[in-house]
Amino acid sequence: MSAFGATLKELVAISEAYNDGQDAELIEKMGGVKGICKKLNVDPSKGIKKSSTEHRRAVYGKNAVPPEEFPSFCELFGEQLQDFTMIMLLVAALVSIALGAWGDAQANANGLEPAGEWVEGVAILATVMFVALLGAGVDHQKNNVYKNMQDKAETYNVKVWRDGRFISDSEQDESVAVSVFDLVVGDIIVFKVGDIIPADCLFVDGSRVEINESSLTGEPEDKKKNVDNPVCLSGTQVVNGNGRGIVISVGENSASGRINADIKGPTTFEPVEPGVADATHGSKVVRFKKFDNPDSKSKGKMTAAKLAKLLKCDPDSEPVKIKLGENECLAQSVEEGESSYEIKINLLTEFTGESDENYTLFVVEPEDKDRRSVLEMKLDIMAINIGKMGGVAAIITFIILMIRFTVVHFGQYQRPFFATTWYYNGNFLDLSDCVAQAQADANNASVTPLPYDEHLCWVAEVPDEILDVDPSIRPSDYAASRFGGECTFDSDCVCCSHANDTAEILEWLIISFTVLVVAVPEGLPLAVVLALLYSSTQMQKEPNNCFVRQLNACETMGNATAICSDKTGTLTLNRMTVQRAYLGGQEFLTAPRGAELSPAFQKIISEAMILNTGQDTDVVVDAATGVKHYFGNATECGILAYALDCGFDKQAMRGEDNPFLWPNGIKLFPFSSTTKAMHIAVPTTNSNGEKVTRVYSKGASERILALCKHTVDADGVSISELTEEAQHKIVTDFITPYANAMLRTIAFAFRDFPEDFDMENAEADEVGCDLTFCGLVGIEDAIRPEVPGAVAKCATAGITVRMCTGDNIYTASAIAKECNLIQGFRAEDMRLPDDSGDTTVMYSTEPGKERTIVCMEGKLFRQMVFDFTTNKLKLKEGSETETVFDDLWPDLRVLSRCSPRDKLILVNGLKDSKLFLKKNTPEYRNNDDVRKYPEVVAVTGDGTNDAPALAAADVGFAMGIVGTKIAQNACDIVLNDDNFKSIVQAVKWGRNVFESIGKFLQFQLTVNVVALFIAMLGAATNGESPLRAIQLLWVNLIMDALASLALATEPPTDELLTRSPSGRTKSLLTKRILRFIITSAVYQIVILCLLLYTACDTESKDCTNGYYGTCGGWARCQEDHLVPDGSPSAHFTMIFNTFVLMQLFNEINTRKLHDEINVFEGMCDNAWFVTIWIVSMGVQVLITQLVNYNEDGYNKVFYTTQLDWFQWCVCLGLGMGALLWGILMRIIVRPSCIECCTCGEEEVDEAELEDQFEAASSSVLASSAYKRQGLGNKKFV
């Protein structure tokens, strides 16, 4: 039984109820803070006993959010092999190996030389393994990087009371020190100003504790903590005072842990069937009674081992969540029960639900981690469809070969089918006797054909009717064609066999499968991996400064249409500087020094600026360089830096043993978002030298000015009344002009109290009134100099930038104009929809544009567009689908006073908008802000409360410098420099991914179309492909892999930002790409057909084949069928060589996608491309001329023979022609000429694209592959 009187559920409920204001009631029910301490067996003055920590950890959990789990290298390797293209290649490789091995076995049995065609299958298999290993290695490397990022958050020690003693966070004895991860429920923690609360706790005691909860709640107002408001949330910062608290929730159950869980999504459960669970209240054992159900999805009989695997429950690992009905529990282990139909589940803690014998057992549903991007989905659709077309082509090829063989052999020659015996002249003999008889008859001129069952075997001559058709045919060839199978001949004497009709059929299968392999774009997976990897690695370098956490984010940014950016630190430098000051009735454009301010006034304003700042705020001047380094609040740093420029002595006021009791003074009244002011009471002297308690006030200038009744003159002594006219003059002459100049105005004032005034019990509104005005400063958060240009680039690139900021609408509008977000605008007042007050909106005054809202406050925005009762966007009156949001967002550029919830509404609204469907209507046809495809939204964030918006966006950017860990874990890309320019760089690199994929598609599909056509044509006309499978392997796998690397490493150009986004669901095969594929394929097919049918000598039987040949024909070669069997021909070698050279020169053409004529531009800047091209050309020369040549002068592996210089010139000329042809086609053929081929280029939404994907993968092979990947429930990025 538990030794505690409070359950985990009860304690978690307290912090969960905090935001709703219901926490006090729950605490009261449990006897208040003291009652909770008693229930948790804690003496607040002594803390817990160290011996109880393990039990507390078992009952209430550990103070650590479970780290993200990463798949192992083997699991990643398995995922790579589940790719549809990979599966097709694996099947092709295994079939090719099996058929090749079977063929070699048959050849050995018949005394023939093995063909070794299994080598092709092994080569395919090796290439598939290489691509899969590379992809798995890339993913594994990225996971390791993420893991290292998590590990960088090193543990730190906390201050606690345990065993009656205080343990400091600086404790050197590791056996005594308490790590933040060692905290448990019941621990008494100690905190002070600047500390981060490490776990949810309740205030026990302390002095003037105030906590900033903005990182969790978004509320900038600091919250006082005392016995009436004791809840302190994990992840929040102590800004004032010090105190102690009792921990009530840790890890996943704490406030920050729940936010992490929200990012990942809710835990879902699925029932275990068939069976029920018997659980008893207070017991740690659950008995699962299994039923026999033949219709159950579970395969086989349920056992303890199977249930443990289903629960993922291991005694040596952490407990796992299960549910019994609605009761969540933690399962520790699983074992066999007392009977054969019972399994025992051991719980970590006692079951707290009602006793019942018929609970349904639920286990955590496996998380779908396979987030498939739109690009991957489109590529899969393409690969599946191409594979299907290849399958159809393979079947057609098989049918053609079968018909051709059947007509010739069983129709024309009428020979028997599947005969297996060797024979000669109609006599069936053993092979040795057949050869002996043939050789004897070859020397006998009187030999004549002998009849045998109406089938004849010719020895020395061919019938005239056959010679009339083909005068070049030899007796051995004729006999082989008539009787089929294998032939052995000598001096035109022949022995033939019908033994291998089966082998002939298998040869058809090999040829057909080669056609299928040729059709599949093998290099495409590798091209995608390389393009994403190259982009992600390059994006980390200067000047890009982006760490990519999700590889898919690279391609998604290429389609971005909207960027919702923070202002501070992203658009601005986050380095506040005072530009103007109004002090003591004088305006200063530079920092006043010396005699410009009287000594008395200097004393007042220096104390007001330096003392009224937070403890964590400081400015340190580098003695060597004079550079100021800011620490803490940026606004206070700007004021402090200005004070230093004025020559004020910071050290004397803030150093150790300072007379002002800084940092807290007599009492510190922290900044309040309600009053927009902060105050500090310090001991000092007035102008008469009398000791007083002086309250210095600082805050928003209009608020401070309204609290002032007097003003101090420049002499620092005279104090006069501050009339309404004087106040109005300060507003019109200084505050408003400063704000319009993008300056944030901060005012300073003071009030003196007697030295013995009871400041301890005073409230801020009591001391912060009747003030004496000192002056004000105008602070500038300078816009990053590169931002206006970067925003202009976004506009040119078709991307709309929207700013989300906490500034007031005037400052936000001025900054937006400076950043080129908006042009002209004017302010108008508007009544809030809930009639709670007025607000200001900015309407566009840009020439030629309608009167639309370009800037508004967050409060108005959410009231206008969001229905909090339904938690959905408001619909237009009378409409069931159109939203109010759709009328607003196209022109909206700035959200001021923007909360994290407003940002989330904006992001989700943009993503879900269906306004693109109306692009072709008259209302939106000419509206550049509405596109013809769905919005792709990127968003920036730095705080913990930004995490939901970062996770919801298509691409989330977290700040690397000021961003919280939770924000960085929720994002896709981390901006290492927090700079908006880096986002634009991410867009450029993302678009480059699509460019690289498009370039490779041009290259790969051209190769596939040509090779497929030639393989089918050769099979149909000659019974074999002029390109052997091993040659196609070199082109399709090895050379394509090199081409994918060469084209994937093309660097991006600024021209990419001059084009509009292409649309994330738009077809990859654009008109230009299809134009290139079709025209290039036409040229290559024509050239190869000319080589195949017209290039070589068709008459001479005795001319020299190949190297320095003596044959006729314009290519000076002998036709392949005239070459003795088993020897490669110069004819087919030239076809192979020309085919490869055309691909190499065409690869240069594919570097350009957009009708560029100069295809060589920038080529030398890509060392990868140049190196790979030269290596590919060199390897082709080696294959054709040098490598693996035997004494007969041919390459056994690639089945080529050596070519002479003339034949090489022919091949080079035809290959270079592909380069010139591609350039010519860009000039002559317009993309619109192939409109009929671009039906897939229309824009579709992602639901329709998913339907296309499911339809494409409906084949048996594709369905099985994608079911294993869980694509039925995919979450598309």
Side-chain angles (χ1 to χ4, degrees), residues 557-699:
M557 271 310 295
N559 289 317
T561 59
I563 300 174
C564 300
S565 174
D566 287 344
K567 183 211 73 174
T568 302
T570 307
L571 298 176
T572 64
L573 293 169
N574 195 28
R575 186 178 176 86
M576 306 292 184
T577 56
V578 175
Q579 297 295 322
R580 305 180 192 177
Y582 175 70
L583 304 173
Q586 307 175 63
E587 184 176 19
F588 298 93
L589 302 182
T590 59
R593 298 181 70 93
E596 295 177 273
L597 294 175
S598 67
F601 189 84
Q602 284 189 40
K603 178 180 182 301
I604 295 173
I605 199 62
S606 63
E607 292 176 1
M609 289 182 174
I610 294 175
L611 296 177
N612 200 8
T613 56
Q615 182 180 14
D616 59 339
T617 299
D618 198 8
V619 175
V620 178
V621 181
D622 189 305
T625 63
V627 175
K628 298 184 181 71
H629 299 282
Y630 286 13
F631 302 93
N633 182 277
T635 300
E636 291 187 342
C637 283
I639 295 172
L640 205 54
Y642 186 74
L644 295 178
D645 289 340
C646 292
F648 302 152
D649 191 347
K650 182 190 71 169
Q651 185 61 30
M653 300 182 197
R654 294 178 40 153
E656 291 187 13
D657 300 325
N658 65 82
F660 304 100
L661 306 180
W662 187 88
N664 293 323
I666 297 174
K667 187 172 184 179
L668 178 67
F669 302 89
F671 177 81
S672 166
S673 60
T674 303
T675 62
K676 301 294 183 185
M678 66 179 294
H679 320 274
I680 186 172
V682 297
T684 187
T685 57
N686 60 19
S687 57
N688 298 323
E690 300 170 346
K691 292 184 178 181
V692 295
T693 296
R694 178 170 288 174
V695 173
Y696 284 110
S697 302
K698 176 188 71 179

Side-chain angles (χ1 to χ4, degrees), residues 811-1102:
T811 304
S813 300
I815 291 174
K817 184 176 182 180
E818 189 72 17
C819 291
N820 286 334
L821 294 178
I822 56 179
Q823 303 304 318
F825 58 88
R826 70 173 182 276
E828 292 187 17
D829 290 335
M830 176 183 288
R831 193 71 179 171
L832 288 170
D834 64 357
D835 207 33
S836 60
D838 292 331
T839 185
T840 302
V841 296
M842 299 293 181
Y843 285 95
S844 173
T845 59
E846 188 177 345
K849 295 202 73 169
E850 297 181 4
R851 182 178 178 271
T852 54
I853 296 177
V854 294
C855 180
M856 64 192 309
E857 290 186 342
K859 187 176 182 179
L860 173 62
F861 170 75
R862 57 180 174 268
Q863 288 188 21
M864 286 182 65
V865 306
F866 201 73
D867 187 343
F868 286 92
T869 58
T870 62
N871 208 34
K872 295 180 180 179
L873 293 175
K874 289 182 179 178
L875 297 175
K876 288 184 183 179
E877 191 173 347
S879 173
E880 296 182 357
T881 57
E882 297 181 351
T883 64
V884 176
F885 179 80
D886 281 343
D887 287 341
L888 190 64
W889 71 259
D891 297 292
L892 184 65
R893 294 294 182 271
V894 181
L895 264 184
S896 65
R897 301 297 187 202
C898 176
S899 70
R901 184 65 183 272
D902 299 332
K903 186 188 291 186
L904 183 61
I905 293 172
L906 178 63
V907 169
N908 285 330
L910 288 170
K911 286 181 58 182
D912 297 339
S913 175
K914 300 296 182 183
L915 205 57
F916 69 95
L917 298 174
K918 295 184 177 182
K919 177 61 179 177
N920 293 325
T921 63
E923 183 180 2
Y924 295 105
R925 184 175 293 121
N926 297 321
N927 190 332
D928 294 335
D929 297 314
V930 177
R931 298 165 183 85
K932 60 180 181 181
Y933 35 79
E935 294 288 307
V936 178
V937 186
V939 67
T940 69
D942 53 13
T944 300
N945 53 349
D946 287 324
L950 289 169
D954 293 299
V955 181
F957 287 89
M959 303 298 108
I961 299 175
V962 300
T964 65
K965 182 180 178 182
I966 291 179
Q968 291 174 355
N969 287 340
C971 76
D972 302 291
I973 298 175
V974 177
L975 294 179
N976 294 331
D977 60 353
D978 295 4
N979 195 334
F980 182 82
K981 182 186 71 172
S982 298
I983 301 177
V984 180
Q985 291 295 108
V987 172
K988 185 164 71 171
W989 279 98
R991 293 189 177 185
N992 194 56
V993 170
F994 279 87
E995 289 278 302
S996 298
I997 301 298
K999 292 171 184 177
F1000 183 74
L1001 282 175
Q1002 287 187 150
F1003 178 81
Q1004 171 86 69
L1005 296 185
T1006 301
V1007 174
N1008 288 14
V1009 169
V1010 176
L1012 184 65
F1013 184 88
I1014 292 299
M1016 290 182 63
L1017 183 64
T1021 58
N1022 296 333
E1024 64 175 339
S1025 169
L1027 297 172
R1028 294 180 67 88
I1030 192 67
Q1031 296 170 351
L1032 291 171
L1033 183 69
W1034 156 242
V1035 175
N1036 266 23
L1037 294 179
I1038 307 302
M1039 203 172 79
D1040 284 0
L1042 294 174
S1044 66
L1045 177 60
L1047 294 171
T1049 52
E1050 285 281 314
T1053 63
D1054 289 335
E1055 187 182 358
L1056 291 171
L1057 297 176
T1058 63
R1059 308 182 191 125
S1060 296
S1062 59
R1064 67 185 302 175
T1065 54
K1066 191 175 182 179
S1067 172
L1068 291 172
L1069 296 179
T1070 63
K1071 296 175 185 177
R1072 286 183 170 84
I1073 292 177
L1074 284 171
R1075 184 266 312 273
F1076 182 92
I1077 294 171
I1078 293 172
T1079 56
S1080 298
V1082 166
Y1083 171 83
Q1084 294 186 26
I1085 289 171
V1086 169
I1087 292 300
L1088 293 178
C1089 286
L1090 290 175
L1091 280 173
L1092 182 60
Y1093 297 112
T1094 70
C1096 293
D1097 191 335
T1098 61
E1099 298 181 358
S1100 175
K1101 301 178 182 180
D1102 303 319

Side-chain angles (χ1 to χ4, degrees), residues 23 186 206 221 228 236 392 399 433 439 477 490 830 1045 1057 1133 1164 1187 1204:
D23 55 304
E221 184 177 357
D228 298 322
T236 58
V392 172
I399 294 173
D433 294 335
Q439 290 176 341
D477 295 330
D490 183 25
M830 176 183 288
L1045 177 60
L1057 297 176
T1133 301
C1164 293
V1187 176
D1204 60 31

